[in-house]
Amino acid sequence: MDPADEPPSMLWGLDPIFSAFARLFVRDILQMTESTQVPGIYFYNLHPIYKVDVLGTVVYKRERDDFFCYGVDDGTGVINCLCWKSNLLKEAEDPNKSGTKKHSDADHGGFDPVAELKKLRQAQLKRCRLEIGELVRVRGPVKTSRQQREIMASTYYKVDDPVMAIQIAWMMEVPQLYRQFYDKRFQINATGYSAESSINKATNIIQDFLKQKLVTKFRPYDVQDLLQPLISSRHQTQSAEQEPVAGPSGCQQLSQLLKEVLQILQNEGVVYRKVKSQDEMYHVTTQDKDLFIAVKDIIREDSKREKYAEKGCHVLHILSAVRQRYSLNVSKAALELVLKTLECDSDIISTSDSHYIAI
């Protein structure tokens, strides 16, 4: 990344991701560009990042007197995680300090605080010492040592996940974070505020309305008034900061903002136009039961064919069939949202990358 493209360091705090543990894929952590202004700060889509949160499998380990070094694989790459030993762990390993003390009341009936404390320490030690193949969660700042990217763990622990519920929840949540935050570039205008903030706010307002009201279809004028407060507040800010100048009217700004929001929602597959006509009608993808039925029928019927029986139907084949049988205007993003919902509801399963089969 060109150093000139970096936002000034004094403005990094305006990005909420900067103060959070970013749940990035290991692949992206390894590929992030280090800041030329402040060593130890990295950039992903111009978001300043210095600490991350990773869940993965231990694929190798090294142990030293003061720390463990675990290789953590999250499915996209492997990164070194330097995990310092706690004083409790060092004492347990030191024969001079770990000797058992005799207590005169140890054999008494009832609650034994010494024995319970020992059990607690053993449980803590067990979660701090990991073996290859076990699941670990690591949080901490990112460092580059000897030209190798690694995580200096501030917190790490073994994760018990016998039915993979935690891993599935993680794999569902992280792509959502990418779509909503990480993949949207951090941009700052002259006043120091995000240039995309009004569009993001407007998009969230419309999405929240569609979810809360379970809207199946709508026209632009049905939701236009929801964005009016954003235009009003913008006018108040501009009039307080500068002299009035000629420009687009509030009605024109509202119309343009709504147009941009609807385009974003279409690009993300949240809404689509079943029929493109003068009657500008938008269908909400996740509420379109007929679309869900059409997709399920296509996968169920074509999965029986010898060509797709083993591997399943590719997403592009499903998209082509949906456009032929249901609507020419269904986008790939909308179809992927439908497939994701059907898979979560156990109506279909993905057999491999972008291939699906009916259950």
Side-chain angles (χ1 to χ4, degrees):
M1 183 175 67
D2 190 341
D5 292 337
E6 286 188 20
S9 58
M10 64 182 296
L11 299 179
W12 290 349
L14 295 174
D15 188 346
I17 296 176
F18 179 62
S19 57
F21 286 92
R23 296 188 181 185
L24 296 174
F25 292 123
V26 168
R27 173 195 61 217
D28 295 326
I29 296 174
L30 295 174
Q31 293 176 355
M32 287 191 303
T33 305
E34 188 168 9
S35 169
T36 57
Q37 302 175 64
V38 182
I41 305 296
Y42 302 84
F43 288 98
Y44 179 81
N45 259 354
L46 294 183
H47 292 289
I49 291 170
Y50 74 97
K51 53 185 182 180
V52 295
D53 189 351
V54 171
L55 179 74
T57 304
V58 177
V59 293
Y60 67 80
K61 60 174 288 189
R62 296 198 311 271
E63 183 176 357
R64 297 292 184 266
D65 292 339
D66 295 324
F67 62 87
F68 296 104
C69 184
Y70 296 115
V72 178
D73 184 353
D74 73 341
T76 67
V78 181
I79 190 168
N80 287 332
C81 298
L82 198 63
C83 305
W84 296 97
K85 293 182 179 179
S86 64
N87 293 331
L88 180 64
L89 191 60
K90 292 179 182 179
E91 289 177 6
E93 294 174 344
D94 189 345
N96 297 323
K97 296 182 180 180
S98 60
T100 56
K101 297 181 181 179
K102 294 182 179 180
H103 296 269
S104 58
D105 57 344
D107 297 328
H108 293 174
F111 179 75
D112 184 356
V114 176
E116 295 300 322
L117 180 60
K118 185 177 181 181
K119 290 180 183 178
L120 184 62
R121 287 184 172 180
Q122 288 174 345
Q124 185 178 355
L125 292 173
K126 187 178 180 181
R127 295 179 76 85
C128 292
R129 188 185 291 274
L130 292 105
E131 300 299 331
I132 292 177
E134 292 182 328
L135 191 66
V136 62
R137 183 169 180 180
V138 181
R139 307 179 83 185
V142 180
K143 301 290 183 184
T144 300
S145 176
R146 295 184 293 277
Q147 297 184 336
Q148 187 175 23
R149 198 71 51 86
E150 59 187 16
I151 301 173
M152 305 288 288
S154 55
T155 304
Y156 74 99
Y157 56 90
K158 175 185 173 183
V159 178
D160 295 319
D161 191 24
V163 295
M164 300 184 72
I166 296 174
Q167 294 175 76
I168 292 172
W170 185 277
M171 288 187 287
M172 296 285 286
E173 184 179 358
V174 172
Q176 286 276 40
L177 291 173
Y178 268 84
R179 281 191 291 269
Q180 294 177 11
F181 304 105
Y182 305 145
D183 285 342
K184 295 180 179 178
R185 290 169 69 87
F186 176 54
Q187 295 183 352
I188 298 175
N189 59 21
T191 60
Y193 295 98
S194 172
E196 297 179 330
S197 60
S198 61
I199 297 177
N200 290 340
K201 287 179 182 178
T203 305
N204 291 334
I205 288 172
I206 300 298
Q207 279 188 301
D208 291 343
F209 173 77
L210 298 178
K211 282 183 181 179
Q212 292 172 7
K213 302 298 182 181
L214 299 177
V215 178
T216 56
K217 53 187 177 181
F218 64 95
R219 294 176 176 85
Y221 59 74
D222 295 327
V223 297
Q224 183 170 281
D225 290 344
L226 296 172
L227 306 183
Q228 184 62 51
L230 294 178
I231 301 299
S232 300
S233 62
R234 182 188 296 178
H235 277 297
Q236 291 173 0
T237 302
Q238 289 176 347
S239 61
E241 291 181 353
Q242 60 188 21
E243 294 293 328
V245 294
S249 65
C251 184
Q252 290 174 324
Q253 291 182 24
L254 181 59
S255 177
Q256 180 61 30
L257 179 60
L258 180 59
K259 183 179 179 181
E260 293 178 4
V261 168
L262 291 174
Q263 187 59 54
I264 290 173
L265 293 177
Q266 287 186 89
N267 293 341
E268 294 179 352
V270 177
V271 302
Y272 75 100
R273 293 180 65 184
K274 187 175 180 180
V275 178
K276 289 189 177 180
S277 63
Q278 290 184 344
D279 182 19
E280 197 174 348
M281 176 72 75
Y282 290 87
H283 289 253
V284 180
T285 305
T286 55
Q287 296 297 328
D288 191 340
K289 294 181 180 179
D290 292 337
L291 176 58
F292 275 73
I293 292 172
V295 173
K296 280 196 291 185
D297 287 346
I298 289 168
I299 297 175
R300 187 181 298 110
E301 293 170 11
D302 289 2
S303 295
K304 296 176 183 178
R305 296 166 58 183
E306 184 178 352
K307 182 179 179 180
Y308 305 109
E310 181 178 350
K311 199 172 182 181
C313 303
H314 191 271
V315 64
L316 295 180
H317 167 77
I318 301 170
L319 180 61
S320 176
V322 169
R323 286 175 173 173
Q324 289 176 10
R325 304 184 198 181
Y326 187 74
S327 170
L328 286 170
N329 303 315
V330 175
S331 67
K332 184 182 177 184
L335 176 63
E336 288 175 341
L337 195 58
V338 172
L339 293 171
K340 179 182 176 182
T341 305
L342 290 173
E343 190 171 14
C344 289
D345 294 341
S346 298
D347 291 320
I348 61 173
I349 57 173
S350 55
T351 55
S352 60
D353 186 31
S354 301
H355 287 77
Y356 297 87
I357 193 169
I359 297 178

